[in-house]
Amino acid sequence: MANETYPHQDPAQVSEVISSLKRFTSGGRGPWHAVSDSDWKDWRWQLKNRINNLDQLESVVPDLSDEEIQGAELANTKLSLGITPYFSNLIHREDPICPIRRQVVPRVEETISSTWDMSDPCGEDEHSPVPGLVHRYPDRVLFLVTDRCAAYCRYCTRSRLVSNASGYGFQPDYQEQLDYIRKHPEVRDVLFSGGDPLLLSDSKLEGLLKALRDIPHVEFIRIGSRIPIFLPQRITSDLCEMLKQFHPLFMSVHANHPRELTTEVKEALGRLADAGIPLGNQSVLLRGVNDSVPVMKALIHKLLMCRVRPYYLYQCDLISGSAHLRTSVRKGLEIMRGLRGHTTGYAVPQYVIDAPGGGGKVPINPEYILSHNNERVVIRNFEGRVFEYPEVADEPEDASSMKVCSSVHGEA
């Protein structure tokens, strides 16, 4: 469905819309119908033939608006234009407000900065002890491996860095990054990100994973990637066989709209899941893309069918030039109220704001606690009904610690 407005007053019609969005269909070939199967299924061919300028964009998305034409002409001065042939087929050509189109087709509004906009909204640069590594939380680090992606999201938090269109000059030094982790035994969790780590060759990625696994205090490795969505052809059997050597290894993927979850994506995610890799999804709340309960409900249900657990729903970061894509926090809370209790808890993501300037992820929830004192907690459930739960006094910290100690030594 192209223009996704919903008759909220008619549950039967809303249910029909959700069911339609949850159907799995192929991305198809679109203008590339003459391309051989072997080329089309080759992820390197997909990267080589990306749409990266206005002429190419106009050939696959006719009738671009003036705002999109100006955006495409200016895109490579801020954040490069890049769309894989596969993903471009998901754009409704005749729909100017297509939710897929809004995510990857540049607009001139990207050149407009609002009062609150920042170039580094998450404060990563000031928490970077060595180039390409961010140590913002006590026991984990962000390991940036590249500044390139298969396609470029127009709301990218790292648009200052990704694609190098703005001349950031990202030059990671893997050995320096690894040495920092070796010298900091408090680091037990490493997240590979970028850019997109799965753009590395199998052998290069394997080398980095081996180096991390040789560090005794690194317990947990994660890969953050949009490639299973933008470029499912990259998720080969060889890649999955290589990755399964390095468990516990988790992967966070990034889908914002149910139409991104095609049959090709479902198969790619299935290969990762079959390799024993737990999958979570991180969505960004975007105006005109997923800012309604029906769309979000279809997305999270479809993710579970792909064996992916919804993990985070991010309020869009205050990245410069993204104001036209940002929703209100009120809208995010409205969506969360429409999910919690109305569908399985496994499907409900945690809504967070990455606190501007480097404060980290802060959970944002509807007001379920109405009051709390020494005697009781008054709570409201998803139906609006009010309940009381008795409060009890906490034991002194030393007493509870002694109990734990005694139990450990077999004296309890």
Side-chain angles (χ1 to χ4, degrees):
M1 179 166 292
N3 186 354
E4 281 137 1
T5 55
Y6 300 98
H8 295 282
Q9 68 278 11
D10 188 334
Q13 286 181 281
V14 173
S15 178
E16 184 179 339
V17 168
I18 293 173
S19 295
S20 173
L21 288 170
K22 284 164 63 171
R23 295 190 191 108
F24 287 94
T25 58
S26 170
R29 292 291 186 86
W32 289 274
H33 55 83
V35 174
S36 69
D37 281 351
S38 59
D39 279 345
W40 184 256
K41 294 176 181 178
D42 184 340
W43 64 277
R44 294 177 181 84
W45 182 93
Q46 290 279 339
L47 287 176
K48 185 178 179 181
N49 289 276
R50 285 186 302 178
I51 297 156
N52 54 31
N53 59 52
L54 177 58
D55 288 343
Q56 292 172 329
L57 184 60
E58 288 184 312
S59 70
V60 297
V61 186
D63 300 321
L64 292 172
S65 69
D66 290 343
E67 291 82 3
E68 289 170 326
I69 290 170
Q70 292 176 57
E73 289 173 337
L74 295 168
N76 294 314
T77 63
K78 178 180 179 287
L79 173 66
S80 292
L81 164 61
I83 312 172
T84 57
Y86 159 80
F87 197 75
S88 75
N89 287 339
L90 306 186
I91 297 173
H92 280 315
R93 270 55 173 176
E94 294 79 31
D95 180 10
I97 58 171
C98 165
I100 307 300
R101 181 173 182 157
R102 284 180 66 79
Q103 294 184 65
V104 292
V105 174
R107 295 182 60 88
V108 72
E109 290 92 333
E110 293 177 24
T111 65
I112 301 170
S113 291
S114 70
T115 304
W116 291 92
D117 284 357
M118 307 177 187
S119 62
D120 179 19
C122 298
E124 292 181 342
D125 288 347
E126 68 177 83
H127 290 92
S128 182
V130 300
L133 190 135
V134 179
H135 193 173
R136 184 169 48 163
Y137 297 100
D139 69 341
R140 52 208 184 275
V141 295
L142 176 68
F143 193 123
L144 303 178
V145 302
T146 179
D147 64 352
R148 303 305 155 107
C149 294
Y152 294 108
C153 306
R154 307 320 303 175
Y155 51 88
C156 179
T157 294
R158 297 196 188 106
S159 57
R160 72 191 187 283
L161 176 160
V162 167
S163 83
N164 200 32
S166 60
Y168 187 91
F170 179 66
Q171 296 291 333
D173 183 330
Y174 296 157
Q175 287 310 311
E176 191 174 5
Q177 291 162 282
L178 290 165
D179 285 344
Y180 178 89
I181 295 169
R182 291 186 187 102
K183 293 173 183 175
H184 287 78
E186 73 273 20
V187 175
R188 50 168 290 280
D189 175 0
V190 178
L191 168 61
F192 278 160
S193 188
D196 203 307
L198 294 187
L199 279 187
L200 299 186
S201 66
D202 289 7
S203 59
K204 196 165 189 176
L205 186 56
E206 183 176 18
L208 283 173
L209 290 167
K210 280 182 176 176
L212 279 180
R213 274 285 164 249
D214 286 340
I215 301 174
H217 54 267
V218 173
E219 302 171 1
F220 182 55
I221 301 174
R222 292 178 286 158
I223 296 174
S225 178
R226 188 118 152 92
I227 273 184
I229 312 301
F230 279 152
L231 188 63
Q233 296 85 353
R234 172 68 181 102
I235 311 303
T236 62
S237 298
D238 286 346
L239 173 67
C240 294
E241 282 298 311
M242 182 274 287
L243 292 174
K244 69 192 293 187
Q245 303 173 74
F246 300 104
H247 287 310
L249 176 71
F250 284 56
M251 188 174 294
S252 292
V253 300
H254 176 182
N256 293 320
H257 191 276
R259 284 209 288 107
E260 296 173 48
L261 300 174
T262 62
T263 53
E264 291 91 341
V265 169
K266 185 179 182 184
E267 290 167 2
L269 294 169
R271 287 191 287 274
L272 290 166
D274 286 344
I277 299 170
L279 301 170
N281 184 70
Q282 303 186 110
S283 296
V284 179
L285 185 60
L286 298 169
R287 184 188 300 272
V289 175
N290 55 15
D291 56 339
S292 75
V293 173
V295 170
M296 192 60 68
K297 190 174 286 188
L299 172 64
I300 61 179
H301 288 176
K302 210 169 178 182
L303 283 165
L304 289 185
M305 289 189 279
C306 291
R307 299 153 73 182
V308 179
R309 183 167 184 182
Y311 181 34
Y312 281 135
L313 172 62
Y314 283 92
Q315 180 68 15
C316 186
D317 288 329
L318 299 174
I319 189 69
S320 180
S322 66
H324 63 293
L325 288 170
R326 295 202 295 267
T327 69
S328 67
V329 176
R330 287 188 304 277
K331 176 59 70 173
L333 290 170
E334 174 190 314
I335 289 170
M336 294 308 297
R337 282 193 294 270
L339 299 180
R340 176 68 63 188
H342 296 279
T343 191
T344 173
Y346 271 100
V348 180
Q350 174 65 67
Y351 179 38
V352 296
I353 294 176
D354 215 327
K361 300 178 191 68
V362 179
I364 307 296
N365 292 302
E367 292 295 330
Y368 297 116
I369 297 179
L370 301 181
S371 68
H372 185 192
N373 57 34
N374 290 335
E375 296 180 353
R376 65 179 63 83
V377 183
V378 181
I379 55 178
R380 178 167 46 206
N381 78 347
F382 73 101
E383 299 167 308
R385 298 168 64 200
V386 176
F387 302 84
E388 290 187 0
Y389 186 89
E391 186 60 292
V392 297
D394 293 318
E395 291 188 61
E397 188 175 338
D398 55 347
S400 59
S401 299
M402 286 173 58
K403 284 186 177 180
V404 172
C405 251
S406 299
S407 298
V408 168
H409 291 90
E411 298 169 9

